[in-house]
Amino acid sequence: MKVTELLTLPTLTGMKLIAGETGIDREVLTVNMMDAPDIIHFLKADEFLVTTAYHLKDNPHLLSSLVEAMATHGCAALGIKTSRFLKEIPEDVLALADELSFPIIDLPSELSLGEIINHTLRGILDQRAAELTFAMETHKQFTNLIMRGKGIQKLLDHLSEMIGYPILLVDQYLKPIFHPFSTPEVIAIIKKMNDEGFRFHKTKASFFSFSSLSNQQTYTVFPIYMNEEKFGYLTISGEIKTNDNLITLTIEQATNVISFASMKEHALKQHDRNIRNDFFLHFLDGSFSSQEEIINRAKEFSLHNDQAYICAVGKIDESESTKSYTQLHRRADSICEFLEDKLCTSPNPIHLFTKGKKCILLYEVNEVETHVLQYVETSLKSLQKITSNQFDCTISFGVSHMCQSFLQTKNSYKEANDSLLEGGLSKRTGYIQTFRTKDIMELLRVIPEEDLKNFYLFALQGFTKIFTEEEQSLLQTLSVYLETHCQISETAKRLFVHRNTVVYRLEKCEELLGKSLKDSETTLQIRIALRIKSLLKI
């Protein structure tokens, strides 16, 4: 209890404050009796010390040292039976107590020190019991609100009415989660802090305060912990002092209930997220038996087959040698969860999935709109910026072409993933790589050289039986003939030879190949073989 409440106890009638009136809000947690002159060495904070001052009767001015030491130690008050051995307390001692805002109380003579101690402790225990009863009733009220499905917002409204201050609940990234309509000014302050990169830090204290220079307002913040990775802050538009026991106790009960309610909501969201994610991963792996099954299940997650999509695959750019596998996945999950919350404000739906340490974004786009890719790139740059500001790391993305249906997003994912890998080959970070269709030469470079040689020898096996000079002439004619879409006249014109020469050479080629050049499969194999020849310089 406070000193001012101690003075009003019916069992301690007769106690009178004689100095230090400005310190009557000091907290009394315990009471002690002075029975030795070296009591200074045993003083404790928030302690009410009672004495007859017998050891000081011959030198009452030593009270100054005792008062100063008790004020320094944060003691609650000093109670003296002035009628026993000290007829009066020196004026300099009373002046010092007033200066230090340290209460000095004149104890009633009819009560012994033991009785005063017992009555004080009983008063403290009674008040503590009342506080605990109040805490239990308050906790029950808040719990009933949640159990009846009223939600956290209703709980905050009720708490705001009880303490008389507007309240705002923000997440660890200072994003408002729940707030009444009466807190636009608080939201503006929090948003400004967020934009300037300010963050609250985890603390062991039950609450802390800060002041805004823009409106000269003090705010009190109560941390709300759900797990090691996720937490929030109950921000109150007003200053809650440490000695406001009932208000502090009320808010703490609310934070406990909000913590459990938030844990429940987060678990439910995580469960839904896992179900949606499992569906998409199974779709990518080809685990479904039919397209009809895929289409029907996709509708459950608002993924419509007749919708056009662009796929983006992202990955955090950081060295994996400094962190464990578990740490990397936790960090990736935190970033993906953060991005998913940000995507909720997008004007067009964006679906987020995770695969290992990668995040997969499916943008719903309108194929008749212009600058669709530009819209996606702008969105990804925004995500890169907020990720860098919040987590102090960069994230790179690979982007696919637009596909016309959900069933085609499997190929879009492959395009986006290939683009991400291609961008990583250049050792860049924080990039956005759009998919580029490979030409035939790039595709051939992916195939092992030995396989390319075997295909070349199979397609042009008859040419190994003739001399190099003749082979060169025939292959050149064959190549030009195929490039001119099998036009003999155009081939002769480009080679500066007679038309009959071209016919002769083509007949010779057919003889060596043992196949007709009118067969499309044959000409396709020859075209590829000639590309391999130029690639490998055979």
Side-chain angles (χ1 to χ4, degrees):
M1 64 174 65
K2 297 178 182 179
V3 173
T4 183
E5 295 169 329
L6 177 67
L7 294 171
T8 60
L9 286 177
T11 54
L12 293 175
T13 302
M15 289 203 306
K16 183 175 64 175
L17 184 70
I18 58 178
E21 184 176 359
T22 55
I24 58 175
D25 284 333
R26 286 175 178 259
E27 195 78 21
V28 181
L29 293 183
T30 184
V31 59
N32 197 3
M33 182 191 303
M34 179 179 176
D35 59 355
D38 61 344
I39 190 64
I40 290 177
H41 303 294
F42 302 96
L43 295 174
K44 296 180 181 179
D46 302 319
E47 186 174 67
F48 174 41
L49 182 66
V50 296
T51 180
T52 60
Y54 174 78
H55 299 287
L56 303 173
K57 61 184 177 62
D58 297 327
N59 193 357
H61 290 284
L62 291 178
L63 277 171
S64 297
S65 299
L66 178 60
V67 168
E68 188 172 358
M70 292 185 71
T72 302
H73 282 79
C75 295
L78 174 63
I80 304 175
K81 274 197 173 187
T82 57
S83 60
R84 288 296 306 276
F85 301 105
L86 292 177
K87 298 306 178 184
E88 62 179 11
I89 297 176
E91 290 296 328
D92 61 330
V93 176
L94 297 177
L96 178 62
D98 288 334
E99 179 184 346
L100 298 176
S101 297
F102 183 77
I104 297 179
I105 300 172
D106 186 8
L107 301 176
S109 58
E110 62 271 15
L111 294 176
S112 67
L113 293 183
E115 289 176 318
I116 293 173
I117 290 176
N118 288 335
H119 291 321
T120 303
L121 290 175
R122 187 177 294 112
I124 293 173
L125 292 175
D126 288 345
Q127 188 175 50
R128 183 56 57 88
E131 288 180 353
L132 291 175
T133 302
F134 174 78
M136 292 176 63
E137 289 298 322
T138 304
H139 192 278
K140 185 184 295 184
Q141 289 181 36
F142 292 143
T143 302
N144 287 338
L145 285 173
I146 298 298
M147 295 298 291
R148 293 201 306 267
K150 300 296 183 180
I152 294 178
Q153 181 63 64
K154 189 66 177 179
L155 186 153
L156 294 179
D157 293 338
H158 185 56
L159 175 62
S160 180
E161 292 177 4
M162 294 179 68
I163 66 176
Y165 293 111
I167 298 175
L168 172 70
L169 180 61
V170 299
D171 64 12
Q172 63 206 72
Y173 311 113
L174 300 190
K175 174 190 173 185
I177 307 174
F178 297 101
H179 57 86
F181 294 108
S182 59
T183 56
E185 185 178 335
V186 190
I187 295 176
I189 294 290
I190 294 294
K191 185 179 185 305
K192 183 178 179 182
M193 293 168 60
N194 188 20
D195 293 341
E196 293 178 357
F198 183 85
R199 294 290 180 272
F200 296 139
H201 297 287
K202 287 186 176 181
T203 175
K204 293 182 179 180
S206 58
F207 64 93
F208 58 91
S209 300
F210 71 92
S211 297
S212 171
L213 295 177
S214 61
N215 60 357
Q216 303 297 314
Q217 173 70 46
T218 298
Y219 300 91
T220 308
V221 179
F222 286 75
I224 297 176
Y225 299 104
M226 286 168 268
N227 54 48
E228 293 182 359
E229 302 294 332
K230 194 170 182 63
F231 48 93
Y233 300 98
L234 194 66
T235 307
I236 299 169
S237 300
E239 183 179 7
I240 307 298
K241 298 182 180 179
T242 54
N243 55 6
D244 293 335
N245 291 340
L246 287 181
I247 292 181
T248 303
L249 200 58
T250 301
I251 298 172
E252 287 177 348
Q253 301 313 306
T255 58
N256 289 335
V257 176
I258 292 172
S259 176
F260 286 110
S262 299
M263 288 172 63
K264 177 184 175 182
E265 287 188 6
H266 180 258
L268 291 174
K269 287 182 180 178
Q270 190 65 40
H271 177 69
D272 292 341
R273 187 182 295 114
N274 290 339
I275 292 176
R276 188 175 71 252
N277 203 66
D278 287 344
F279 158 74
F280 190 72
L281 294 184
H282 287 154
F283 164 65
L284 293 180
D285 294 339
S287 302
F288 296 106
S289 58
S290 66
Q291 292 185 355
E292 184 179 358
E293 181 183 6
I294 296 172
I295 294 172
N296 290 334
R297 293 200 178 188
K299 286 181 181 179
E300 298 178 21
F301 308 106
S302 300
L303 294 165
H304 302 287
N305 190 53
D306 56 355
Q307 171 66 50
Y309 297 92
I310 289 180
C311 181
V313 177
K315 187 176 184 298
I316 304 168
D317 303 315
E318 61 182 355
S319 173
E320 301 187 359
S321 58
T322 58
K323 295 183 179 180
S324 68
Y325 180 82
T326 303
Q327 288 175 324
L328 288 170
H329 270 271
R330 282 181 178 176
R331 181 173 173 81
D333 288 342
S334 297
I335 293 176
C336 288
E337 189 172 335
F338 171 75
L339 294 179
E340 187 171 28
D341 289 338
K342 291 295 180 181
L343 294 175
C344 292
T345 60
S346 174
N348 295 328
I350 305 173
H351 307 272
L352 185 142
F353 308 93
T354 58
K355 186 177 183 181
K357 290 176 288 184
K358 295 178 181 178
C359 63
I360 305 167
L361 306 177
L362 281 186
Y363 284 81
E364 290 190 11
V365 294
N366 190 340
E367 56 184 318
V368 300
E369 292 180 353
T370 58
H371 310 298
V372 171
L373 281 176
Q374 184 178 351
Y375 154 71
V376 173
E377 289 187 14
T378 301
S379 171
L380 294 177
K381 286 178 181 178
S382 175
L383 295 180
Q384 287 178 327
K385 182 178 179 181
I386 59 178
T387 301
S388 176
N389 292 339
Q390 186 62 52
F391 296 93
D392 193 26
C393 68
T394 59
I395 183 169
S396 297
F397 289 98
V399 183
S400 73
H401 287 152
M402 182 173 64
C403 64
Q404 305 301 320
S405 67
F406 175 74
L407 291 174
Q408 296 176 359
T409 56
K410 183 186 294 188
N411 293 331
S412 295
Y413 165 75
K414 186 177 185 308
E415 290 180 358
N417 195 51
D418 289 345
S419 300
L420 180 66
L421 296 175
E422 183 180 346
L425 294 176
S426 59
K427 304 300 181 182
R428 292 181 295 158
T429 58
Y431 60 85
I432 297 176
Q433 180 71 40
T434 305
F435 180 74
R436 180 174 60 87
T437 304
K438 294 180 174 62
D439 61 24
I440 186 65
M441 296 301 285
E442 288 181 299
L443 292 174
L444 291 175
R445 288 191 182 95
V446 179
I447 302 174
E449 185 175 326
E450 186 65 28
D451 292 339
L452 292 176
K453 287 182 178 179
N454 290 336
F455 183 87
Y456 172 79
L457 294 175
F458 168 76
L460 298 174
Q461 55 185 338
F463 286 84
T464 58
K465 304 175 182 178
I466 58 176
F467 296 107
T468 304
E469 184 176 349
E470 186 180 3
E471 177 188 5
Q472 183 66 29
S473 174
L474 293 176
L475 286 178
Q476 183 184 24
T477 303
L478 186 56
S479 176
V480 175
Y481 174 71
L482 295 175
E483 287 178 5
T484 58
H485 305 288
C486 303
Q487 298 294 323
I488 295 178
S489 298
E490 183 63 25
T491 304
K493 182 179 177 181
R494 292 191 182 186
L495 294 175
F496 302 102
V497 297
H498 194 273
R499 186 177 185 279
N500 291 339
T501 303
V502 174
V503 173
Y504 169 76
R505 291 178 180 177
L506 293 178
E507 290 176 350
K508 183 68 174 178
C509 290
E510 289 182 330
E511 182 181 339
L512 292 171
L513 293 169
K515 299 176 182 178
S516 171
L517 293 178
K518 294 179 181 180
D519 179 38
S520 59
E521 183 68 24
T522 300
T523 55
L524 176 61
Q525 291 181 358
I526 295 173
R527 284 176 179 272
I528 296 175
L530 292 174
R531 294 294 183 93
I532 293 174
K533 176 179 174 65
S534 63
L535 177 65
L536 301 181
K537 296 181 173 55
I538 298 176

